[in-house]
Amino acid sequence: VDRATTGSDTEPVGLDELAVKVPVYNARIAQATLDDNGFQLVKHRWDHVDYYDEEQLLQTYYPEVCALIKRVTGAKKVLAFDHNIRTSAVASWMNKSAEGPVPKQIKKGNAVQSPATVVHNDYTMTSAPLRLQLLSQPPKANDTLAKVLGQTPLIAPEES
Protein backbone atom coordinates (compact mmCIF):
# COMPACT_ATOMS: atom_id res chain seq x y z
CA VAL A 1 0.00 0.00 0.00
CA ASP A 2 2.91 2.37 0.64
CA ARG A 3 4.28 4.23 -2.37
CA ALA A 4 7.55 2.79 -3.67
CA THR A 5 9.88 5.32 -5.32
CA THR A 6 10.94 2.58 -7.72
CA GLY A 7 7.40 2.32 -9.13
CA SER A 8 4.96 -0.53 -8.85
CA ASP A 9 5.10 -2.30 -12.19
CA THR A 10 5.81 -5.72 -10.75
CA GLU A 11 4.54 -8.83 -12.45
CA PRO A 12 1.16 -9.95 -11.13
CA VAL A 13 0.74 -13.11 -9.10
CA GLY A 14 -2.19 -15.49 -9.59
CA LEU A 15 -3.42 -13.81 -12.76
CA ASP A 16 -4.94 -15.73 -15.63
CA GLU A 17 -4.73 -13.53 -18.70
CA LEU A 18 -7.55 -13.59 -21.22
CA ALA A 19 -7.41 -11.48 -24.35
CA VAL A 20 -10.76 -9.86 -25.11
CA LYS A 21 -11.61 -7.56 -28.02
CA VAL A 22 -13.36 -4.47 -26.74
CA PRO A 23 -14.95 -1.92 -29.04
CA VAL A 24 -13.64 1.61 -28.54
CA TYR A 25 -16.13 4.45 -28.85
CA ASN A 26 -15.53 8.16 -29.18
CA ALA A 27 -16.55 9.39 -25.72
CA ARG A 28 -16.62 12.98 -26.98
CA ILE A 29 -19.85 12.24 -28.83
CA ALA A 30 -21.30 9.54 -26.57
CA GLN A 31 -22.48 12.06 -23.93
CA ALA A 32 -21.38 9.76 -21.12
CA THR A 33 -22.30 10.80 -17.60
CA LEU A 34 -20.58 10.03 -14.35
CA ASP A 35 -23.74 8.50 -12.88
CA ASP A 36 -24.52 6.28 -15.87
CA ASN A 37 -21.05 5.44 -17.18
CA GLY A 38 -18.57 5.97 -14.35
CA PHE A 39 -16.82 8.78 -16.24
CA GLN A 40 -17.70 12.05 -17.88
CA LEU A 41 -15.84 14.34 -20.25
CA VAL A 42 -16.11 18.03 -19.45
CA LYS A 43 -14.72 21.13 -21.15
CA HIS A 44 -12.04 22.74 -19.03
CA ARG A 45 -9.12 25.01 -19.84
CA TRP A 46 -6.08 23.65 -17.99
CA ASP A 47 -3.08 25.56 -16.74
CA HIS A 48 -0.12 23.83 -18.40
CA VAL A 49 2.09 21.79 -16.09
CA ASP A 50 5.15 19.68 -16.72
CA TYR A 51 3.90 16.20 -15.76
CA TYR A 52 7.49 15.13 -15.10
CA ASP A 53 7.86 17.77 -12.33
CA GLU A 54 6.44 16.72 -8.95
CA GLU A 55 6.32 20.32 -7.62
CA GLN A 56 4.11 21.45 -10.52
CA LEU A 57 1.84 18.44 -10.10
CA LEU A 58 1.38 19.02 -6.37
CA GLN A 59 1.16 22.83 -6.40
CA THR A 60 -0.83 23.44 -9.62
CA TYR A 61 -2.35 20.25 -11.05
CA TYR A 62 -3.71 18.65 -7.83
CA PRO A 63 -5.60 21.79 -6.70
CA GLU A 64 -6.96 22.35 -10.21
CA VAL A 65 -8.16 18.74 -10.50
CA CYS A 66 -9.81 18.93 -7.07
CA ALA A 67 -11.57 22.20 -7.97
CA LEU A 68 -12.80 20.73 -11.28
CA ILE A 69 -14.17 17.58 -9.62
CA LYS A 70 -15.90 19.67 -6.93
CA ARG A 71 -17.49 21.87 -9.61
CA VAL A 72 -18.69 18.97 -11.77
CA THR A 73 -19.90 16.65 -9.00
CA GLY A 74 -20.98 19.09 -6.31
CA ALA A 75 -18.72 17.31 -3.81
CA LYS A 76 -17.99 19.25 -0.64
CA LYS A 77 -14.49 17.84 -0.29
CA VAL A 78 -12.11 16.37 -2.90
CA LEU A 79 -8.62 15.14 -2.04
CA ALA A 80 -5.95 14.20 -4.58
CA PHE A 81 -3.24 12.12 -2.94
CA ASP A 82 -1.35 9.98 -5.44
CA HIS A 83 -0.62 9.60 -9.13
CA ASN A 84 1.31 7.56 -11.67
CA ILE A 85 3.03 8.98 -14.73
CA ARG A 86 2.96 6.34 -17.44
CA THR A 87 4.56 6.38 -20.89
CA SER A 88 5.15 3.87 -23.66
CA ALA A 89 8.84 4.86 -23.57
CA VAL A 90 9.28 2.78 -20.38
CA ALA A 91 9.81 -0.97 -20.69
CA SER A 92 8.31 -3.43 -18.20
CA TRP A 93 6.58 -6.82 -18.16
CA MET A 94 3.52 -5.00 -19.60
CA ASN A 95 5.46 -3.09 -22.26
CA LYS A 96 8.31 -5.12 -23.70
CA SER A 97 9.16 -2.61 -26.47
CA ALA A 98 9.91 0.82 -25.05
CA GLU A 99 9.74 3.63 -27.61
CA GLY A 100 12.46 6.02 -26.55
CA PRO A 101 14.23 8.17 -23.98
CA VAL A 102 12.15 9.50 -21.10
CA PRO A 103 13.05 10.46 -17.55
CA LYS A 104 13.18 7.35 -15.36
CA GLN A 105 11.93 9.41 -12.46
CA ILE A 106 9.68 12.44 -12.05
CA LYS A 107 11.73 15.47 -10.95
CA LYS A 108 11.77 15.20 -7.13
CA GLY A 109 9.20 12.40 -7.35
CA ASN A 110 8.43 8.77 -8.10
CA ALA A 111 9.45 6.48 -10.93
CA VAL A 112 7.90 6.86 -14.38
CA GLN A 113 6.01 3.68 -15.26
CA SER A 114 5.00 1.87 -18.41
CA PRO A 115 1.37 1.93 -19.61
CA ALA A 116 -1.06 -0.33 -17.78
CA THR A 117 -1.95 -2.90 -20.42
CA VAL A 118 -4.32 -4.92 -18.26
CA VAL A 119 -7.65 -3.90 -16.82
CA HIS A 120 -7.14 -3.32 -13.13
CA ASN A 121 -8.62 -1.64 -10.10
CA ASP A 122 -6.35 0.29 -7.77
CA TYR A 123 -8.49 -0.46 -4.71
CA THR A 124 -10.32 -3.49 -3.39
CA MET A 125 -12.82 -4.00 -0.57
CA THR A 126 -9.81 -4.77 1.63
CA SER A 127 -7.27 -2.20 0.42
CA ALA A 128 -9.56 0.87 0.19
CA PRO A 129 -10.35 1.06 3.95
CA LEU A 130 -6.67 0.38 4.69
CA ARG A 131 -5.66 3.23 2.36
CA LEU A 132 -8.08 5.59 4.17
CA GLN A 133 -6.55 4.55 7.47
CA LEU A 134 -3.03 5.23 6.14
CA LEU A 135 -4.11 8.65 4.84
CA SER A 136 -5.27 9.53 8.36
CA GLN A 137 -1.71 9.04 9.66
CA PRO A 138 1.25 11.39 9.16
CA PRO A 139 2.70 10.84 5.66
CA LYS A 140 5.75 8.63 5.35
CA ALA A 141 8.83 9.91 3.51
CA ASN A 142 7.83 8.12 0.27
CA ASP A 143 4.19 9.36 0.26
CA THR A 144 3.46 11.74 -2.61
CA LEU A 145 2.05 14.48 -0.35
CA ALA A 146 4.79 14.32 2.33
CA LYS A 147 6.46 17.38 0.77
CA VAL A 148 3.24 19.37 1.03
CA LEU A 149 1.74 18.10 4.29
CA GLY A 150 4.83 17.53 6.42
CA GLN A 151 3.59 15.47 9.39
CA THR A 152 -0.08 16.49 8.99
CA PRO A 153 -2.38 13.66 7.86
CA LEU A 154 -4.40 14.31 4.69
CA ILE A 155 -7.54 13.04 6.43
CA ALA A 156 -8.35 13.73 10.06
CA PRO A 157 -8.26 10.42 11.99
CA GLU A 158 -11.95 10.75 12.94
CA GLU A 159 -12.89 10.96 9.22
CA SER A 160 -11.26 7.66 8.21
Side-chain angles (χ1 to χ4, degrees):
V1 173
D2 287 338
R3 185 79 157 128
T5 56
T6 57
S8 59
D9 285 344
T10 57
E11 289 198 45
V13 176
L15 176 71
D16 294 325
E17 290 187 37
L18 174 65
V20 177
K21 286 193 177 217
V22 178
V24 176
Y25 299 98
N26 185 342
R28 292 171 291 218
I29 59 175
Q31 299 181 351
T33 66
L34 190 57
D35 289 336
D36 292 338
N37 306 99
F39 75 96
Q40 181 174 331
L41 298 178
V42 296
K43 290 187 183 220
H44 179 75
R45 189 171 208 58
W46 290 98
D47 287 335
H48 175 72
V49 297
D50 177 356
Y51 293 102
Y52 292 103
D53 185 324
E54 186 91 341
E55 298 275 331
Q56 289 185 39
L57 290 170
L58 297 177
Q59 300 299 328
T60 303
Y61 186 71
Y62 272 30
E64 191 170 354
V65 167
C66 290
L68 174 63
I69 293 170
K70 281 176 91 170
R71 179 176 60 82
V72 171
T73 65
K76 292 179 183 170
K77 188 173 186 178
V78 175
L79 303 169
F81 58 87
D82 201 2
H83 63 273
N84 293 320
I85 299 297
R86 296 184 178 274
T87 176
S88 59
V90 174
S92 77
W93 71 271
M94 293 188 286
N95 183 38
K96 306 264 191 259
S97 58
E99 292 179 0
V102 69
K104 291 185 189 263
Q105 192 155 350
I106 300 168
K107 182 180 173 187
K108 298 181 183 175
N110 294 307
V112 175
Q113 299 174 334
S114 70
T117 59
V118 296
V119 175
H120 69 283
N121 184 348
D122 289 343
Y123 296 102
T124 65
M125 295 296 284
T126 301
S127 69
L130 178 59
R131 184 63 164 154
L132 283 173
Q133 184 181 34
L134 289 172
L135 290 171
S136 70
Q137 299 171 2
K140 295 183 177 67
N142 62 341
D143 286 338
T144 301
L145 289 177
K147 298 173 196 98
V148 175
L149 298 173
Q151 288 299 303
T152 305
L154 180 64
I155 299 172
E158 62 274 8
E159 291 181 292
S160 64

